[in-house]
Amino acid sequence: MIFAVDSPRVRAGAGCYGDAGSMLSWARPLLLAAMRDQAATAAGDGGGVRRLRLLRQSAGAGPGLRPRPGVGDWSEVLRETVNVLQSGCVVAVPTDTIYGIACLAQNSEAIQRIYKIKGRNTDKPLAISVGNVEDIYKYCKVTVPDQVLSDLLPGPVTLVFKRSDGLNRDLNPFTDLVGVRIPEHAFMQKLAQLCGEPLALTSANVSSRTSTLTPEEFKDIWPSLGLVVDGGPVGDMMSPECRLGSTVVNLATPGKYSIIRPGCAFTATVDILQKKHGLSL
């Protein structure tokens, strides 16, 4: 099953993100109408999937296609995505950086499905994605002031803290650390809020392959997914920097930070941590 959503985009500066002052986003035209169709069942087209396309207003559109504000336009997609996640399946979703696959982080069997789909070594951790900054405190032992979290999130950054007892021990059982994200993407934020628990999130690709900016780029794993949410192309497909994924920073030690992965927001992240908040390497 594939859902197509017209998603907000993150404005790209240098690479996917410019300096600290450019962490802005804007919404593309609002979703306006839906249509259902059946996809071809030919091999290579995902094995025969039902499509729900959410259309944008076009020139000469009639009075029934007037804009409606907010993520209420995504209500059917959100409802179906929550149902699929709660059934224990893995879904593909657009984020503010690259496409990801996600499951409920508290579902141990679903976590194993992600590793199997990606062919990923089980000693490589998965991040979690939550809907609000306040949720981070439920699953992480936060070592920085609230303002640090608010300055970095939502955004293309993964913050690594020591995990709390509230997080499923089968998620990354080999470490006491966990990375947490709040993508700058209204659909992802609302999805986590509606699920009422964190999502385990990783890139939508087979391990060691290039990260993906459109659903077509990870078509080989569609048959293993319960749902594909199509938000259109993410970022500038001609820019290699836009495939770098989020910047991953370790904040587990009070007053310190270390960069685990530079990602697409390295300069902006370091400026906020070091220049604004005085953290040191």
Side-chain angles (χ1 to χ4, degrees):
M1 182 185 301
I2 298 179
F3 278 122
V5 301
D6 188 20
S7 64
R9 296 296 160 77
V10 177
R11 185 181 299 276
C16 285
Y17 259 77
D19 57 25
S22 68
M23 284 194 173
L24 301 173
S25 65
W26 76 95
R28 294 177 62 208
L30 292 172
L31 308 180
L32 301 170
M35 92 177 165
R36 296 179 183 274
D37 65 83
Q38 296 292 327
T41 58
D45 193 32
V49 290
R50 182 172 65 87
R51 293 178 183 268
L52 174 63
R53 294 191 181 281
L54 298 178
L55 305 178
R56 289 171 292 173
Q57 187 175 25
S58 58
L65 295 181
R66 286 193 288 265
R68 294 173 293 164
V71 295
D73 299 296
W74 299 335
S75 59
E76 182 177 356
V77 182
L78 284 163
R79 181 169 58 251
E80 182 64 20
T81 307
V82 171
N83 289 340
V84 173
L85 286 166
Q86 290 177 342
S87 75
C89 291
V90 176
V91 304
V93 289
T95 76
D96 53 347
T97 54
I98 57 179
Y99 268 84
I101 56 174
C103 73
L104 296 183
Q106 305 295 66
N107 186 323
S108 300
E109 292 182 1
I111 290 170
Q112 292 306 310
R113 290 191 183 97
I114 282 189
Y115 280 97
K116 183 177 181 180
I117 290 168
K118 286 180 63 71
R120 184 182 179 93
N121 291 335
T122 54
D123 60 352
K124 291 186 177 181
L126 301 176
I128 62 172
S129 181
V130 297
N132 302 287
V133 168
E134 294 77 13
D135 294 331
I136 297 173
Y137 293 88
K138 300 176 185 177
Y139 307 106
C140 302
K141 298 178 180 178
V142 178
T143 58
V144 295
D146 294 348
Q147 191 59 47
V148 174
L149 301 183
S150 298
D151 285 343
L152 292 172
L153 300 173
V157 183
T158 300
L159 304 182
V160 177
F161 297 104
K162 289 187 176 180
R163 61 193 296 147
S164 74
D165 293 337
L167 190 62
N168 181 7
R169 285 304 310 177
D170 289 334
L171 178 76
N172 311 334
F174 46 84
T175 179
D176 64 349
L177 301 177
V178 66
V180 61
R181 286 212 66 199
I182 305 178
E184 183 68 50
H185 195 294
F187 179 85
M188 285 297 296
Q189 293 171 35
K190 189 65 176 178
L191 179 61
Q193 292 165 15
L194 290 175
C195 286
E197 60 181 283
L199 305 175
L201 180 66
T202 185
S203 57
N205 60 312
V206 174
S207 287
S208 79
R209 294 187 187 174
T210 304
S211 57
T212 57
L213 303 180
T214 71
E216 287 71 25
E217 292 185 339
F218 57 89
K219 211 168 186 179
D220 53 334
I221 66 171
W222 283 9
S224 300
L225 302 173
L227 182 74
V228 174
V229 178
D230 184 351
V234 176
D236 180 2
M237 295 187 65
M238 301 305 294
S239 172
E241 288 84 0
C242 279
R243 295 184 185 271
L244 296 177
S246 64
T247 295
V248 183
V249 55
N250 189 335
L251 296 175
T253 302
K256 302 281 187 179
Y257 79 93
S258 63
I259 301 296
I260 297 174
R261 182 178 72 192
C264 67
F266 172 77
T267 301
T269 301
V270 170
D271 284 348
I272 289 172
L273 293 174
Q274 197 163 297
K275 294 181 181 179
K276 183 173 182 179
H277 293 285
L279 275 67
S280 61
L281 285 169

